[in-house]
Structures are given as C-alpha cells and as structure tokens.
Amino acid sequence: MSKRRALVTGITGQDGSYLAELLLEKDYEVFGMVRRSSVEKFDRIEHIKESITLLQGDLSDQSSLDEAVRESEPDEVYNLAAQSFVPTSWNQATLTGEVTGLGATRLLEAVRKFRPEARYYQASSSEMFGKVLEVPQTEKTPFYPRSPYGCSKVYAHHLTINYRESYDLYACSGILFNHESPRRGYEFVTRKITDTAARIKLGLAKELRLGNLDAKRDWGYAGDYVEAMWLMLQQEEAEDFVISTGSTHSVKQCVETTFALLDLDWKDYVVMDERFKRPAEVDLLVGDSTKAKEKLGWEPKVSFEELIDMMLQSDLKAHGG
C-alpha cells in the first residue's frame, strides 16, 4: 500500500515544521511548498529536510500552486502559509489580503482543478473574532475582525466553506487560538518576552519594551495544535473547529510568569512603549473547543506555565545559558 501524501504550505514556519514532523511519524510522504528567496531559512525543518520534498511556490502565483498540486498529487493539503504577523498587516494591508486571503482562493482553485479528491485544511484564526461578541468564542460566534490580517482570514475562512458547499470538496477550517513554542518568531509577543528575559538574565539586554499589558489571549502549544489539524482531515465529513485551551492570560501574566522563573522582578526591566500598541486592539480572546473534544477526541496537553518554561529554557540555551 502506497504512503499517503500531504502538501503543506508554510512548511518552514512554526506550525508547518511541527505538522511535518507529525506527518512523517505517521508515515506520510510530505511535500512542503516554499517561496524562492535569495536567503534560505530552513532552520525549523533542518532536522527533517532530507525526509521531505520541497517544491517552489507562492500563494500570490496561481501557476506555481497548480504545479505544486499536480506534482505532489496530495491526499491532504494543509494551507498554513500567510502573512501572519498582525501588526505588519496594517502597514502591508494589500499584501496581507493578497497572500492571506486571495492566496487561499488560489490554492482551493488548484485543488478543485487538479486534485478534487484531496482533503483541504485552512488555517483560520481567533483574530477573526476580533472585537468579540461573546465570551468564550465557539464555531457559531459571529466574526468581528479588528485588523487587515483578521479580515483576510475571515475571507479565506468563508471561501473554504463556499468551496465545500459549491464543489463538494472536503474542505475545513481550524479556528486556532494563539499557539506558541520555541519555534515561534521573535516578533510575536510571547517569544519576544521569553527571549528578551533570557538575554536580561544573561546580561545581554537591559530592558523589555511592550505595548498593551492588559491584552488577553488564549495561549496553547503549537505541537498540540497541529495534531488537531490532522484529526480534522480524518473525519467522515468536513467541519470547522475551534482549537483552544479555554483559559485566558494577559500579556502581563506572561511577563510575570517568565521573570519569576528567572528570579527577577519584571518591573525593573519592562518599559511601556506606545509604538507597540495596535491601532485597534483585540482585548479578550478565549475559545471553547468543546466540539473538538467531543468529535475529534482532542484536548491540549501542555499548560500555559509549561509552555512559557519550555520557550524560556530554549532561549536561555540559545544564548549560552
């Protein structure tokens, strides 16, 4: 029996690297789509690079997506690629819409034309809830995005539903709440906090500049969340799922937890900086993943405190601690 084949866009990112590991463990043949760049950034997948097949492609280019789908002949397609940093989406709103929103449309088109029997996963986001209309948020909570990124994700989410209903594709979305790991980009607030705190502890930095300490998020571990992605494509029917821990923590709590682990008083090092405040804030995101628990048998395994410690230990090691 031949191996199942999976095509993963955004394979060099945090989620893509964890998902690729999971799929390899499950004996898939894994194809990863990467953009052509003068500087290759494969650090997150360096340890598995020889076990996967990399294909050049770009969500802004239809022909490259068509070719990637034709060449990989996937049984499963995971669309994880995006312009995914929310603050950047205000400065690059058109690019964010082009890649994060229309990019999903192009990939769905490629699947529809060349591999309609494949199962498609769309990476939706809790940022779609934005100015939340109810707490906690479920699959039925109305969307109210508060950034160009959130708006683009709403478009891609509804397009996925539209292709499911219009063309009978197996296409579903995972509405994933914030998920972090030692592979998270340094521009994201949790990683910025743990990395800067580690450098302060080692005498390599003197301060940590942050924006809104009161913003609250539902933070989980990326390694747990990619398992939910896979489980969604193993169901008899395609459905959308909220994936979250159900617990919320403020940026301030993240700071307090991190500095406490280092026996430091965060107040001695944290500086408030208006530059890091969003034009429109998302104040309280917390998800209800009851449906995922009941239908997928999925629950998060790593706690918030364990996650912060995992990231901090990785950053200390990276800086020679």
Side-chain angles (χ1 to χ4, degrees):
M1 184 177 178
S2 60
K3 291 184 176 183
R4 281 193 286 177
R5 298 156 73 96
L7 173 62
V8 181
T9 73
I11 198 167
T12 60
Q14 171 189 252
D15 292 7
S17 64
Y18 281 112
L19 178 62
E21 287 177 349
L22 177 71
L23 294 171
L24 288 172
E25 288 171 8
K26 294 183 180 296
D27 203 31
Y28 277 68
E29 188 172 351
V30 178
F31 295 81
M33 197 181 80
V34 295
R35 282 180 299 165
R36 169 73 179 90
S37 173
S38 58
V39 180
E40 294 185 336
K41 296 183 70 176
F42 296 146
D43 50 303
R44 293 187 181 98
I45 59 169
E46 199 62 51
H47 61 297
I48 56 171
K49 193 177 172 186
E50 299 305 314
S51 301
I52 60 181
T53 301
L54 296 179
L55 305 173
Q56 284 193 7
D58 194 306
L59 287 181
S60 63
D61 181 72
Q62 185 69 59
S63 63
S64 68
L65 299 181
D66 292 349
E67 188 57 34
V69 171
R70 275 200 299 255
E71 186 172 342
S72 59
E73 297 183 326
D75 299 297
E76 297 173 5
V77 177
Y78 296 87
N79 184 30
L80 309 186
Q83 189 303 97
S84 61
F85 190 46
V86 176
T88 295
S89 74
W90 275 285
N91 297 328
Q92 300 184 29
T94 304
L95 173 69
T96 301
E98 186 72 41
V99 175
T100 306
L102 289 175
T105 311
R106 296 187 187 98
L107 186 55
L108 281 162
E109 268 294 286
V111 172
R112 181 185 72 81
K113 290 185 293 185
F114 301 109
R115 195 67 175 172
E117 67 272 32
R119 296 188 168 198
Y120 175 93
Y121 171 85
Q122 170 63 27
S124 288
S125 167
S126 60
E127 288 284 337
M128 301 189 305
F129 295 121
K131 190 174 182 179
V132 298
L133 299 179
E134 65 179 5
V135 178
Q137 294 90 53
T138 73
E139 292 81 4
K140 296 181 180 179
T141 302
F143 299 136
Y144 194 146
R146 295 269 280 173
S147 66
Y149 171 77
C151 293
S152 300
K153 281 294 188 182
V154 170
Y155 173 85
H157 180 85
H158 282 301
L159 247 294
T160 302
I161 294 171
N162 186 262
Y163 270 64
R164 180 168 74 216
E165 296 176 349
S166 301
Y167 303 113
D168 199 29
L169 294 182
Y170 190 110
C172 63
S173 293
I175 306 174
L176 271 57
F177 280 64
N178 293 66
H179 45 289
E180 320 297 310
S181 76
R183 299 179 192 174
R184 189 59 143 155
Y186 290 104
E187 68 273 24
F188 291 89
V189 68
T190 50
R191 191 73 194 283
K192 179 180 179 180
I193 290 168
T194 61
D195 180 70
T196 306
R199 290 189 289 115
I200 288 172
K201 180 67 174 180
L202 298 172
L204 303 174
K206 294 182 179 179
E207 65 181 23
L208 168 61
R209 291 185 169 268
L210 294 171
N212 183 8
L213 290 182
D214 296 322
K216 294 181 179 179
R217 297 290 186 273
D218 183 331
W219 277 301
Y221 172 50
D224 289 343
Y225 284 37
V226 298
E227 183 182 2
M229 298 176 188
W230 178 79
L231 285 169
M232 284 181 219
L233 296 195
Q234 313 313 310
Q235 306 307 300
E236 192 171 326
E237 294 184 1
E239 295 184 67
D240 305 322
F241 291 87
V242 163
I243 302 299
S244 64
T245 70
S247 299
T248 184
H249 296 87
S250 66
V251 173
K252 182 179 178 182
Q253 285 176 297
C254 183
V255 170
E256 289 172 338
T257 301
T258 303
F259 279 81
L261 287 167
L262 296 169
D263 293 320
L264 296 174
D265 185 345
W266 68 273
K267 295 176 184 175
D268 294 335
Y269 304 98
V270 174
V271 177
M272 304 308 297
D273 192 327
E274 292 293 323
R275 292 178 302 163
F276 295 114
K277 288 192 174 182
R278 295 182 178 189
E281 184 55 87
V282 178
D283 291 313
L284 180 56
L285 292 175
V286 55
D288 180 351
S289 55
T290 299
K291 181 181 175 182
K293 181 179 179 180
E294 292 177 350
K295 290 200 170 187
L296 305 178
W298 180 87
E299 288 187 87
K301 302 181 183 74
V302 177
S303 71
F304 174 74
E305 291 75 16
E306 290 170 334
L307 173 62
I308 296 301
D309 188 47
M310 180 192 304
M311 295 170 67
L312 183 59
Q313 296 307 318
S314 174
D315 289 327
L316 284 167
K317 184 178 178 180
H319 295 297

